[in-house]
Amino acid sequence: MKLVRTRQNVVMWIIDVVLTLVAWAGLLWLLSRGINAMLETHGGPRLEAPIFAALNTLQTYLWIAVCNALILISWARYQQRRGRQFAQRRAAANALSDKSLSESFNLGVGHLEQFRKPGVLLIHNDDEGGVERVKSHVSRDVERPGRLG
């Protein structure tokens, strides 16, 4: 079961894998170093006190890890359900008719047709948020003679 379904660049995936392997190697190195230090004492290995203290600490860390995992999985499932409901709400929206769109923005007679034409428009609004005036901007990318680009 994959909770996160984002597509990732191959380079970023490789970096993620390498960093994860380095983190696991560091954890294993620290664990082995701690266990070796506990077993190699001058008076011989004292198994009763240090190991039980270490196991107690390790058990505490494991419970914290389990709680963190439960919280993260619950949060991911909640976001997944919430996202699915949001997508359903967005899909159910009704399309606006030309009449209701014109009434909503106080559009003039020719404004809606002008909006549908390709190009850049400069829209001036009135104080109530309606469309007061629409001006078309046409950018010309014509090179001037004698000018090198």
Side-chain angles (χ1 to χ4, degrees), residues 91-102:
N94 296 329
L96 289 175
S97 67
D98 289 348
K99 182 181 177 187
S100 61
L101 186 63
S102 295

Side-chain angles (χ1 to χ4, degrees), residues 16-126:
D16 190 27
V17 167
V18 168
L19 288 177
T20 303
L21 291 175
V22 167
W24 277 106
L27 175 67
L28 292 176
W29 179 74
L30 286 173
L31 282 174
S32 66
R33 199 170 149 213
I35 290 173
N36 280 339
M38 196 169 50
L39 293 177
E40 294 177 0
T41 58
H42 294 293
R46 295 182 0 212
L47 296 177
E48 54 285 336
I51 285 183
F52 289 123
L55 287 178
N56 238 355
T57 304
L58 188 61
Q59 181 183 10
T60 303
Y61 290 158
L62 286 175
W63 279 114
I64 292 171
V66 167
C67 290
N68 281 338
L70 288 174
I71 290 170
L72 289 174
I73 290 171
S74 301
W75 181 253
R77 288 293 182 185
Y78 167 74
Q79 291 296 335
Q80 190 178 32
R81 275 191 230 106
R82 185 173 167 232
R84 199 176 304 130
Q85 291 170 355
F86 180 72
Q88 289 172 354
R89 281 187 304 192
R90 297 273 300 182
N94 296 329
L96 289 175
S97 67
D98 289 348
K99 182 181 177 187
S100 61
L101 186 63
S102 295
E103 289 173 359
S104 176
F105 290 103
N106 281 337
L107 297 178
V109 177
H111 288 155
L112 198 55
E113 288 80 23
Q114 195 173 7
F115 289 157
R116 290 192 174 125
K117 292 179 184 175
V120 178
L121 298 175
L122 180 62
I123 301 172
H124 297 273
N125 295 78
D126 58 11

